[in-house]
Amino acid sequence: MPTIAVVGAGPGMGLAIARTFGSHGFDVALLSRSQANLDAHAATLSSEGISAKGFAADVLDTDSLTGALEAAAQYFGGIEVLEYSPSGPEPEFLTPTRVTAAHVDLQMRYLVYGAIAATGVVLPAMRKAGAGTLLFTTGAGSIDPTPMLGDINTAGAALRSWVLNLHKELVLEGIQAAHVAIGAWIGDRAPEGTPSASADQISPLYWDLYVQRDQAEKIFTP
């Protein structure tokens, strides 16, 4: 069976994406910081007939992330799809004039540097096979920035640029790279006036990207 590695496998989007691909016959490698949480998510998926295993990793620690992905590839016999959407720190709602280099650097470490490191682990085997899919998630502010998320949007825009460039480099090798921008509050606790959607409503978009393979970017709006 093919395998998807979900980096940022929390109870929301991560688990929903895992469930979407698992229901289509994928094995699932779950990566996040807490092994206990990963084991619980893997048990949930296993109860639904999906083969899943957790591998603890911290995206801020390149060695940790690299080792976890290598272990997952060894355990499942390869990784055909990488989905990268780690949860960063709680937003501080910083406008651009309040953002410092340190604020942006932290978000870059979560969103961009981790994505580059994760890709570096799985890409050689994809290139050898002439196939593979790399999916990266940001908020829609990476495209249409919101002033109150000045640090997050800056890093998100950088990730988006890198992914679109990655797509241009790899598409002729049979490897798909695509960016997903989510323009909604995920869950049922959205601030008043903010569009929202459940993770289960959003996750099919990732499967559509994987199957259709004709777009480098999709934007989810409710």
Side-chain angles (χ1 to χ4, degrees), residues 5-201:
V6 179
V7 180
M13 279 308 309
L15 192 59
I17 293 167
R19 183 176 285 115
T20 294
F21 278 78
S23 68
H24 286 90
F26 271 71
D27 292 332
V28 178
L30 303 167
L31 285 80
S32 69
R33 286 186 293 266
S34 169
Q35 187 65 52
N37 289 344
L38 290 171
D39 291 344
H41 298 328
T44 296
L45 293 171
S46 295
S47 72
E48 299 170 8
I50 297 170
S51 173
K53 182 174 176 58
F55 301 85
D58 184 346
V59 298
L60 297 181
D61 181 339
T62 298
D63 290 340
S64 168
L65 179 58
T66 296
L69 283 168
E70 289 174 344
Q74 182 175 11
Y75 181 85
F76 286 111
I79 294 172
E80 285 71 30
V81 178
L82 171 72
E83 192 281 319
Y84 186 87
S85 55
S87 297
E90 287 294 320
E92 296 184 55
F93 300 107
L94 299 170
T95 61
T97 56
R98 295 177 59 210
V99 167
T100 67
H103 291 132
V104 174
D105 181 61
L106 177 60
Q107 296 295 337
M108 290 286 290
R109 290 171 64 200
Y110 271 103
L111 287 176
V112 183
Y113 305 156
I116 292 171
T119 300
V121 176
V122 302
L123 185 56
M126 291 182 178
R127 278 183 148 157
K128 185 175 181 180
T133 295
L134 303 161
L135 303 174
F136 305 87
T137 304
T138 68
S142 62
I143 300 171
D144 182 15
T146 302
M148 292 302 293
L149 297 174
D151 54 344
I152 298 171
N153 289 171
T154 299
L159 177 60
R160 175 180 183 251
S161 177
W162 181 76
V163 174
L164 296 182
N165 260 334
L166 188 66
H167 166 79
K168 292 177 181 179
E169 179 182 358
L170 297 177
V171 64
L172 295 181
E173 299 181 43
I175 299 167
Q176 175 192 25
H179 169 241
V180 176
I182 300 176
W185 183 282
I186 303 171
D188 57 3
R189 297 183 180 179
E192 185 175 354
T194 302
S196 63
S198 70
D200 289 336
Q201 288 175 302

